[in-house]
Amino acid sequence: MGTITLQNAQRLVTLISGATKGLHLYPVGHPAIMQPLQEIYAGCQGILATSPEIRMGVIDGILFVEEHLFVTPSPAMTELADRFLEKEISGLTICRGVSREDLGFLISLLAQKGVCGAEMARKLEERQITSIKLKVAEEEAGGALETYGQALDVIRDVIKDIEMGRIPSGGKVIGVVKKLVTLTMQDPTTLLGLSMIKDYDNYTFNHSVNVGVLAMSLTASLGFDQAGIEEAGIAGFLHDVGKTQVDRQILNKPGKLSAAEFDEMKKHPEFGAKIISEMDGVSPQIAQAVLGHHIRNNRLGYPEWARKLPFDTLSEIIAVADCYDAITTLRVYQNPLNPKAALDQMRTLAGSYLDSNMVQRFVEMMGKYPVGTLVRLDNNEIALVVRPNPANQEAPIIKVVINAAGEMVAEPPMLRLVNDAGNRYASIVTVVDPLLKNIDVGRYL
Ligand SMILES: [Fe+2]
Ligand SMILES: [Fe+2]
């Protein structure tokens, strides 16, 4: 994340908006254009001296530059946001090495009527401008959610292969993880919302993908590199594949398992490790992490025979992600905990079931009001936390799902409880249980 100040961010978007508007009235070489262009260039250079890039764009109709969201925009900002929307551009990245000519070309593209984002991207490419990158809205809208869907399909295929007695291919799993890695590297919290997607009828698939997503976010926030985040994703996706070898009646049993049934269930980590070790392209470390995902931090878990084997951070990461997803999910034998209660519960497991340090990092990543938490605001609205705000734990990014009159809001926009100018929208009064309000949290994320 860059170190751009609010003032510089505001100034930059205002200048870009102004220059774009000016191009309707004057040709590119006109002083009325050259002057602001020079200022834009100087502004970018100033920011790029300390940050490798400048990201701006529109999220749910709100213009942003890096971490600054302009919830109460000036007319110039609104104009630029509208232009981005009209051209179906969701994001724009200006990288180090950008020239004044590159910026001039970008602004002329923004000013041209009828040139959409995809065409703009093509024209930038034709000119071999690599210092300006465009994200086209369609790609973005489907982006994370679409990849989540692909991940579900991949897990389904893997499980089907195993059930048919085939060795599943590692390639597809790795492919889908790579797509998610790119998103996670940009911002470790990007995928957290996805992990709130729960599907009672497809527990195994959703649980597998959610554990992968949570493990990737945690690994990214721990500062691991791309390869490390990828391993965490693959291990998370595959951690329970061994359950395919466990009798279905035991897996789906609503009540408490008998000792013999539990013994059978306890074999799933070793079954899983064996399957994974035969998959092409999947590293032995991943098989080892899967073998150890129920071994527990105090080594009193299962499989008993593996308690003395060496297990590294990856199995601790999977254990934490697994625990969080399991306890926040509705099952035949269990009501789900809300995210905040789940973190409290995990704290009580730190040092015995789970690694204390890893729990600590996970709790920090999730923030005071974790993604998926339903909160009551002091203006009587009920809102859903959709993104943490590391700069201010009390003011996460939210969506109002029930207005003050008690009506459900169909398509709520993202809002900041406190915007960059310090203006307060509302404050959180308390956490509300989604079950009490009957809200399907996953629908809004
Ligand atoms: Fe498991
Ligand atoms: Fe699991």
Side-chain angles (χ1 to χ4, degrees):
M1 191 154 284
T3 49
I4 181 167
T5 63
L6 172 65
Q7 224 178 4
N8 284 340
Q10 275 169 340
R11 181 159 171 74
L12 187 62
V13 287
T14 306
L15 283 166
I16 293 177
S17 178
T20 306
K21 199 175 165 195
L23 268 182
H24 283 306
L25 307 169
Y26 308 102
V28 184
H30 193 278
I33 303 301
M34 292 311 282
Q35 177 61 29
L37 184 57
Q38 175 56 33
E39 285 184 55
I40 292 168
Y41 176 66
C44 287
Q45 290 301 96
I47 297 166
L48 291 171
T50 53
S51 310
E53 56 183 34
I54 309 166
R55 289 181 310 140
M56 63 182 75
V58 179
I59 300 175
D60 278 357
I62 301 170
L63 188 70
F64 72 89
V65 176
E66 291 294 334
E67 68 269 39
H68 307 291
L69 273 172
F70 301 109
V71 181
T72 44
S74 66
M77 289 171 184
T78 307
E79 232 165 280
L80 189 63
D82 288 348
R83 201 165 293 262
F84 277 5
L85 291 176
E86 173 199 311
K87 296 194 172 294
E88 295 171 340
I89 299 166
S90 62
L92 172 65
T93 308
I94 300 172
C95 309
R96 254 180 211 163
V98 73
S99 68
R100 197 178 344 210
E101 289 67 35
D102 295 345
L103 289 167
F105 189 65
L106 169 71
I107 285 159
S108 71
L109 288 175
L110 279 170
Q112 278 173 44
K113 282 240 164 319
V115 177
C116 68
E119 207 173 328
M120 283 177 65
R122 207 169 42 246
K123 291 195 173 191
L124 285 167
E125 203 176 316
E126 267 171 27
R127 277 228 177 181
Q128 297 180 328
I129 297 177
T130 51
S131 53
I132 297 173
K133 297 188 183 89
L134 283 186
K135 241 195 225 166
V136 180
E138 278 165 330
E139 282 173 19
E140 167 86 305
L145 200 59
E146 202 180 294
T147 314
Y148 184 95
Q150 288 166 1
L152 280 178
D153 290 342
V154 166
I155 301 300
R156 227 175 249 131
D157 284 352
V158 164
I159 290 177
K160 196 163 46 175
D161 279 342
I162 300 167
E163 284 171 348
M164 306 284 284
R166 294 190 291 252
I167 298 165
S169 107
K172 271 196 279 186
V173 183
I174 296 165
V176 79
V177 165
K178 276 189 190 294
K179 284 194 197 173
L180 293 170
V181 169
T182 317
L183 296 168
T184 320
M185 299 271 288
Q186 287 164 358
D187 176 355
T189 63
T190 308
L191 300 180
L192 287 178
L194 290 182
S195 71
M196 291 310 297
I197 300 174
K198 310 282 188 179
D199 182 348
Y200 184 79
D201 296 322
N202 286 308
Y203 172 73
T204 314
F205 307 130
N206 281 77
H207 172 66
S208 303
V209 177
N210 290 347
V211 171
V213 163
L214 289 166
M216 289 172 80
S217 305
L218 178 56
T219 313
S221 73
L222 287 166
F224 276 73
D225 64 1
Q226 184 169 345
I229 302 170
E230 255 175 53
E231 283 202 335
I234 300 167
F237 280 4
L238 299 176
H239 80 284
D240 273 341
V241 290
K243 286 193 177 172
T244 48
Q245 316 293 93
V246 174
D247 189 339
R248 261 185 209 212
Q249 287 195 321
I250 298 176
L251 281 181
N252 299 329
K253 187 173 170 178
K256 204 171 180 298
L257 298 181
S258 72
E261 286 167 339
F262 193 44
D263 278 344
E264 192 58 28
M265 181 64 123
K266 284 185 194 165
K267 290 183 187 155
H268 83 268
E270 59 195 273
F271 288 149
K274 176 155 190 310
I275 294 164
I276 292 165
S277 68
E278 288 169 355
M279 290 173 72
D280 57 286
V282 182
S283 76
Q285 283 87 329
I286 291 172
Q288 184 71 359
V290 169
L291 178 65
H293 81 277
H294 289 292
I295 211 83
R296 293 185 197 163
N297 187 243
N298 58 13
R299 301 298 175 113
L300 294 175
Y302 58 86
E304 276 96 345
W305 62 263
R307 286 177 179 173
K308 291 212 162 61
L309 293 180
F311 292 103
D312 62 10
T313 322
L314 187 53
S315 36
E316 304 284 10
I317 290 173
I318 301 302
V320 164
D322 187 26
C323 176
Y324 183 78
D325 189 66
I327 61 182
T328 53
T329 305
L330 173 71
R331 304 298 310 276
V332 228
Y333 49 83
Q334 138 196 317
N335 276 330
L337 293 177
N338 69 47
K340 215 163 144 40
L343 295 180
D344 290 340
Q345 166 113 53
M346 285 170 74
R347 281 200 196 90
T348 70
L349 301 175
S352 57
Y353 276 61
L354 304 168
D355 177 78
S356 303
N357 184 39
M358 212 50 84
V359 170
Q360 176 71 25
R361 301 302 293 265
F362 188 74
V363 168
E364 280 166 17
M365 174 183 79
M366 299 304 271
K368 181 166 181 197
Y369 298 101
V371 170
T373 303
L374 209 56
V375 289
R376 180 183 296 282
L377 304 179
D378 59 359
N379 61 5
N380 256 333
E381 291 175 335
I382 304 281
L384 179 69
V385 176
V386 293
R387 278 251 185 142
N389 176 9
N392 182 356
Q393 295 273 0
E394 293 296 331
I397 299 172
I398 52 134
K399 285 186 179 179
V400 173
V401 292
I402 299 180
N403 64 22
E407 299 151 349
M408 298 283 283
V409 183
E411 298 280 334
M414 273 202 229
L415 286 175
R416 281 201 149 186
L417 285 173
V418 178
N419 73 8
D420 294 307
N423 298 321
R424 198 186 74 101
Y425 174 77
S427 299
I428 295 174
V429 179
T430 182
V431 172
V432 181
D433 195 331
L435 280 183
L436 297 177
K437 287 282 167 194
N438 227 337
I439 288 172
D440 175 11
V441 163
R443 181 175 108 57
Y444 293 98
L445 294 160

